């Protein structure tokens, strides 16, 4: 493998050097041809005409020229900055790479590229996942929470992309194939068909109206109660009342379909839908109890739900349970849940990784109740890290590697917003969702945020990263995260997905941090210089004219020197001799 890599590098270098050699040879031939044809092309006469024209120009022309250049470069700068803020890359650089790159030899050997691609795909096929969007296990209620934020601030906390994903989830959870197979005249009077149309509606008022219409046709429609509880209820108490009505109807339907599910695929689909309804409603009722302060009741409901429906672990109900147990400060129970779900075969989440780090930080506070509050890299370098502190630092490194956006919100260096209904694991949306609910738990553990701050500050991703961290433990986070260490390499698609999930007024956190492209800096400098030249030319026309002439003479002097040397080497009648041949 090493020999093949060396051979590939040598081949690529040879192809690159040969390409530039041909370009240099072509340029040399063009210059030589122009020199040989200088007499028939009247190069000297044309240059003298241009010089006379430049001498006749007034300072007003130079003011207009530099002012126009400054205006155009300023417009380009504004466009480049807008494009970079929206898409994270330079427009000029992207166009240059896509269209000019192949002309300048930027395309590698396709065969080698295909071989390397096949090898990397074979090695990383199981380890590098796509940027999959997950439903937020702790998503808020639209009517009682999201809409209240809109009423107060006038801002929409949810994006259309996020709400569209929720509509697709609702159609998947609360409808089945039998709803599509009914005749068209029967669909208008069936509550399930009315609710199927309601989930597809974009307008919230249209959805609520359709839910009331379904209840008028059948007062035992559980999904209609779910929609009203989610979107029409304005308080948690009213939401809980509607969910209890939905649960009463849903459990009756679930028991009925459970006894008939073995009769065929039609009945099995109905039972699957009734199961989803029961699980969803019971989970939402547990979340309502948690919001209303009945935390022990919420924990019991979540435990019963996970025990009764163990196959529904894909809904990540354990993350709801972890948050409720942390509120009760039942850290031993939290550790038991982590031991079950923090497994290598299960997908990780910020809740799993950062909760494990929080428990390790709490162990430091328990063993050293006074030193933990004054933990710092300087003190650690003097006395060394204890076993508990080393375990805590390693757990924080593991959590930061999984999602490097979370510490900004936990340390309150970046403002929080309402979490979206969907999140991207390892992205900014997941960091917001985690910190929104778990920041109080970190504040409750003495020294936890201080330890996180010291570890984060000593890492390459800290806001004030220390150049030479005093302890080797603070250098354990791989930099950059694209290389990976404990997890698969950090994906590059998180930024675009988070921009779709998070509202426009939120500044999306991006890792690795992108520096300003060269063309933005170049256009900014060009705009500033040309504007300064325009101002100076307008105020001091004669001195600036002398400066311009001196600058042009300085630039053209090497060219004139080269022409004189060529005339001394080559015979003056070379063109005449070539025409005679």
């Amino acid at each position: 493998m090493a020999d093949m890599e060396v051979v590939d590098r040598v081949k690529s270098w040879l192809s690159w050097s040969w390409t530039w050699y041909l370009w240099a040879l072509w340029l040399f031939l063009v210059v030589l041809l122009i020199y040989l044809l200088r007499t028939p092309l009247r190069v000297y006469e044309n240059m003298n005409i241009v010089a006379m024209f430049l001498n006749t120009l007034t300072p007003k022309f130079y003011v207009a020229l530099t002012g126009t250049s400054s205006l155009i470069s300023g417009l380009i700068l504004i466009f480049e900055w807008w494009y970079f803020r929206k898409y994270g890359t330079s427009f000029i650089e992207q166009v240059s790479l896509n269209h000019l790159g192949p002309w300048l030899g930027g395309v590698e050997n396709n065969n080698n590229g295909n071989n390397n691609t096949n090898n990397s795909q074979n090695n990383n096929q199981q380890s590098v996942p796509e940027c999959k969007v997950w439903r937020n296990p702790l998503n808020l209620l639209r009517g009682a929470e999201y809409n209240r934020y809109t009423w107060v601030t006038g801002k929409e906390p949810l994006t259309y992309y996020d709400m569209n994903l929720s509509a697709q989830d609702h159609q998947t959870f609360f409808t089945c194939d039998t709803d599509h197979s009914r005749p068209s005249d029967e669909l208008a009077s069936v509550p399930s068909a009315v609710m199927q149309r309601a989930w597809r509606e974009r307008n919230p008022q249209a959805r609520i109206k359709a839910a009331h219409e379904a209840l008028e046709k059948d007062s035992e429609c559980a999904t209609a109660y779910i929609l009203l509880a989610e979107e029409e209820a304005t308080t948690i108490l009213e939401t809980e009342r509607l969910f209890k009505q939905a649960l009463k109807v849903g459990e009756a339907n679930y028991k009925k379909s459970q006894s008939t599910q073995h009769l065929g695929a039609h009945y099995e689909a109905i039972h699957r839908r009734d199961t989803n309804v029961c699980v969803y409603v019971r989970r939402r009722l547990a979340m309502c109890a948690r919001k209303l302060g009945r935390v022990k009741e919420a924990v019991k409901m979540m435990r019963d739900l996970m025990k009764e429906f163990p196959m529904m672990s894909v809904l990540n109900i354990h993350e709801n349970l972890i948050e409720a147990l942390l509120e009760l400060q039942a850290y031993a129970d939290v550790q038991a849940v982590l031991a079950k779900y923090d497994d290598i075969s299960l997908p990780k989440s910020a809740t799993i990784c950062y909760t494990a780090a929080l428990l390790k930080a709490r162990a430091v506070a328990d063993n050293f109740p006074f030193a933990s509050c004054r933990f710092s890299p300087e003190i650690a370098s003097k006395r060394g890290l204890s076993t508990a502190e080393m375990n805590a630092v390693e757990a924080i490194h593991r959590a930061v590697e999984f999602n490097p956006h979370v510490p900004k919100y936990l340390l309150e260096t970046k403002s929080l917003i309402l979490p979206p209904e969907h999140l991207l694991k390892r992205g900014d949306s997941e960091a917001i969702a985690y910190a929104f609910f778990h920041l109080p738990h970190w504040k409750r553990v003495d020294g936890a945020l201080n330890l996180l701050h010291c570890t984060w500050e000593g890492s390459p991703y800290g806001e004030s990263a220390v150049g030479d961290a005093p302890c080797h433990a603070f250098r354990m986070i791989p930099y950059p995260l694209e290389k990976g260490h404990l997890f698969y390499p950090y994906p590059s698609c998180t930024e675009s997905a988070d921009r779709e999930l998070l509202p426009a007024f939120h500044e999306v956190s991006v890792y690795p941090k992108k520096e300003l492209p060269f063309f933005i800096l170049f256009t900014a400098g060009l705009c500033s210089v040309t504007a300064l030249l325009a101002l100076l030319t307008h105020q001091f026309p004669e001195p600036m004219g002398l400066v311009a002439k001196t600058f042009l003479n300085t630039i053209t002097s090497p060219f004139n020197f080269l022409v004189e040397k060529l005339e001394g080497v080559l015979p003056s009648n070379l063109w005449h001799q070539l025409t005679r041949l």
Side-chain angles (χ1 to χ4, degrees):
M1 292 297 294
D3 296 338
M4 292 296 296
E5 292 180 358
V6 172
V7 172
D8 292 340
R9 290 182 179 179
V10 171
K11 288 182 179 179
S12 61
W13 183 82
L14 289 176
S15 61
W16 174 82
S17 60
W18 180 249
T19 302
W20 283 104
Y21 170 77
L22 292 178
W23 277 100
L25 180 62
W26 176 83
L27 181 61
F28 174 76
L29 293 177
V30 169
V31 173
L32 181 62
L33 182 62
I34 293 176
Y35 176 77
L36 295 177
L37 298 178
R38 66 187 185 282
T39 302
L41 293 177
R42 299 181 179 180
V43 176
Y44 289 132
E45 290 82 352
N46 293 329
M47 291 180 63
N48 292 330
I49 293 173
V50 172
M52 292 177 59
F53 173 75
L54 293 177
N55 290 329
T56 57
L57 295 176
T58 61
K60 293 183 178 180
F61 171 79
Y62 293 105
V63 173
L65 178 63
T66 53
T68 306
S69 302
S70 177
L71 177 62
I72 295 175
S73 57
L75 294 176
I76 296 175
L77 173 62
I78 294 173
F79 175 77
E80 276 283 298
W81 179 257
W82 169 82
Y83 194 87
F84 174 74
R85 296 288 293 178
K86 187 172 183 179
Y87 300 104
T89 185
S90 169
F91 176 78
I92 300 177
E93 181 180 355
Q94 189 176 11
V95 172
S96 302
L97 292 176
N98 293 339
H99 300 283
L100 300 181
W103 288 19
L104 299 177
V107 179
E108 299 288 340
N109 191 343
N110 292 333
N111 294 330
N112 295 335
N114 292 334
N115 293 334
N116 295 334
T117 302
N118 293 333
N119 294 333
S120 62
Q121 287 179 353
N122 292 333
N123 295 332
N124 301 328
Q125 185 175 6
Q126 302 296 331
S127 59
V128 181
E130 297 179 356
C131 285
K132 178 182 177 181
V133 177
W134 300 72
R135 187 164 181 85
N136 184 5
L138 298 168
N139 64 311
L140 303 178
L141 300 165
R142 286 194 187 178
E145 293 173 308
Y146 285 121
N147 287 347
R148 183 179 300 177
Y149 176 84
T150 304
W151 297 336
V152 174
T153 63
K155 298 179 181 179
E156 290 292 340
L158 299 177
T159 62
Y160 173 74
Y161 175 70
D162 192 13
M163 292 188 290
N164 186 43
L165 291 176
S166 297
Q168 296 177 14
D169 293 340
H170 294 153
Q171 293 180 58
T172 303
F173 290 160
F174 307 138
T175 61
C176 58
D177 297 335
T178 59
D179 298 331
H180 304 274
S181 60
R182 298 175 183 269
S184 58
D185 55 346
E186 187 181 351
L187 286 176
S189 60
V190 176
S192 59
V194 175
M195 288 307 303
Q196 185 180 10
R197 187 181 73 251
W199 296 123
R200 297 176 179 175
E201 289 287 349
R202 295 185 180 181
N203 188 359
Q205 298 302 324
R207 291 195 295 268
I208 295 174
K209 181 180 179 181
H212 284 292
E213 180 182 349
L215 287 177
E216 290 176 0
K217 298 180 182 298
D218 184 6
S219 60
E220 301 297 319
C221 183
T223 54
Y225 287 116
I226 292 176
L227 192 147
L228 295 178
E230 290 283 352
E231 303 196 21
E232 188 182 37
T234 57
T235 62
I236 305 298
L237 288 174
E238 185 179 357
T239 301
E240 186 181 34
R241 179 181 60 81
L242 290 171
F243 272 130
K244 287 181 178 179
Q245 290 180 304
L247 180 62
K248 180 180 178 180
V249 177
E251 286 183 338
N253 295 333
Y254 172 76
K255 294 178 181 178
K256 184 187 302 182
S257 61
Q258 189 177 22
S259 60
T260 59
Q261 60 174 326
H262 62 280
L263 298 179
H266 170 79
Y267 296 97
E268 185 178 356
I270 295 177
H271 177 67
R272 190 183 307 113
R273 178 196 61 190
D274 294 338
T275 302
N276 293 335
V277 169
C278 282
V279 173
Y280 184 90
V281 172
R282 291 175 62 179
R283 179 185 188 177
R284 278 308 212 182
L285 282 173
M287 294 174 66
C288 288
R290 164 67 181 89
K291 295 175 188 293
L292 293 173
R294 306 194 305 268
V295 186
K296 292 184 178 180
E297 178 184 348
V299 169
K300 183 179 183 304
M301 294 173 67
M302 294 173 190
R303 289 188 185 276
D304 294 341
L305 186 59
M306 295 170 62
K307 183 178 180 181
E308 187 174 349
F309 299 95
M311 301 303 295
M312 303 298 288
S313 60
V314 68
L315 298 177
N316 296 324
I317 304 175
H318 60 275
E319 296 194 8
N320 299 82
L321 179 61
I322 288 175
E323 196 279 327
L325 290 173
L326 287 174
E327 180 64 22
L328 292 176
Q329 302 185 33
Y331 298 109
D333 294 336
V334 174
Q335 185 62 55
V337 176
L338 289 179
K340 181 178 181 181
Y341 290 95
D342 192 4
D343 188 79
I344 191 172
S345 62
L346 297 176
K348 296 293 184 293
S349 66
T351 301
I352 295 293
C353 296
Y354 278 90
T355 302
L358 176 62
L359 296 183
K360 296 294 179 62
R362 181 178 174 272
V364 174
D366 290 342
N367 295 333
F368 306 97
F370 300 104
S372 63
C373 298
R374 301 187 301 271
F375 182 88
S376 66
E378 290 77 11
I379 297 177
S381 63
K382 295 179 181 178
R383 62 173 173 83
L385 290 177
S386 64
T387 303
E389 290 171 342
M390 178 62 73
N391 292 335
V393 170
E394 290 179 355
I396 292 176
H397 283 170
R398 173 176 178 262
V400 172
E401 183 188 346
F402 182 83
N403 194 318
H405 311 276
V406 174
K408 282 186 176 182
Y409 299 104
L410 291 180
L411 298 175
E412 298 182 274
T413 59
K414 189 176 178 64
S415 59
L416 271 173
I417 62 172
L418 294 185
E421 293 183 339
H422 290 79
L423 53 84
L424 181 68
K425 289 192 174 183
R426 307 189 74 178
D428 191 28
S429 53
E430 184 191 34
I432 293 172
Y434 172 79
F436 185 86
F437 294 98
H438 289 262
L439 179 58
H441 308 319
W442 278 81
K443 290 183 176 181
R444 190 178 294 119
V445 177
D446 292 334
L449 289 176
N450 184 40
L451 183 60
L452 174 65
H453 172 72
C454 295
T455 310
W456 171 253
E457 187 181 65
S459 71
Y461 297 92
E463 292 295 332
S464 57
V466 181
D468 50 348
C471 182
H472 176 70
F474 297 98
R475 301 179 182 177
M476 295 171 60
I477 304 178
Y479 183 83
L481 286 179
E482 293 93 304
K483 297 180 180 179
H485 180 56
L486 298 174
F487 302 99
Y488 51 85
Y490 192 78
S492 59
C493 58
T494 56
E495 180 184 358
S496 57
D498 280 332
R499 291 185 187 277
E500 295 289 337
L501 290 171
L502 299 174
F505 60 83
H506 173 73
E507 183 180 357
V508 177
S509 177
V510 179
Y511 274 95
K513 294 181 179 179
K514 295 183 179 179
E515 299 180 355
L516 287 177
F518 165 76
F519 288 103
I520 290 183
L521 301 176
F522 175 76
T523 52
L526 182 62
C527 178
S528 303
V529 171
T530 51
L532 181 62
L533 289 177
L535 179 62
L536 293 176
T537 307
H538 178 71
Q539 295 293 331
F540 311 102
E542 295 182 359
M544 290 301 296
L546 294 176
V547 171
K549 291 180 181 179
T550 305
F551 178 73
L552 292 176
N553 292 332
T554 304
I555 292 179
T556 57
S557 58
F559 177 75
N560 295 331
F561 177 78
L562 182 62
V563 171
E564 292 177 0
K565 291 296 182 181
L566 288 176
E567 289 179 350
V569 174
L570 297 177
S572 59
N573 58 349
L574 179 61
W575 171 251
H576 181 67
Q577 295 178 5
L578 290 176
T579 55
R580 294 179 63 182
L581 292 177

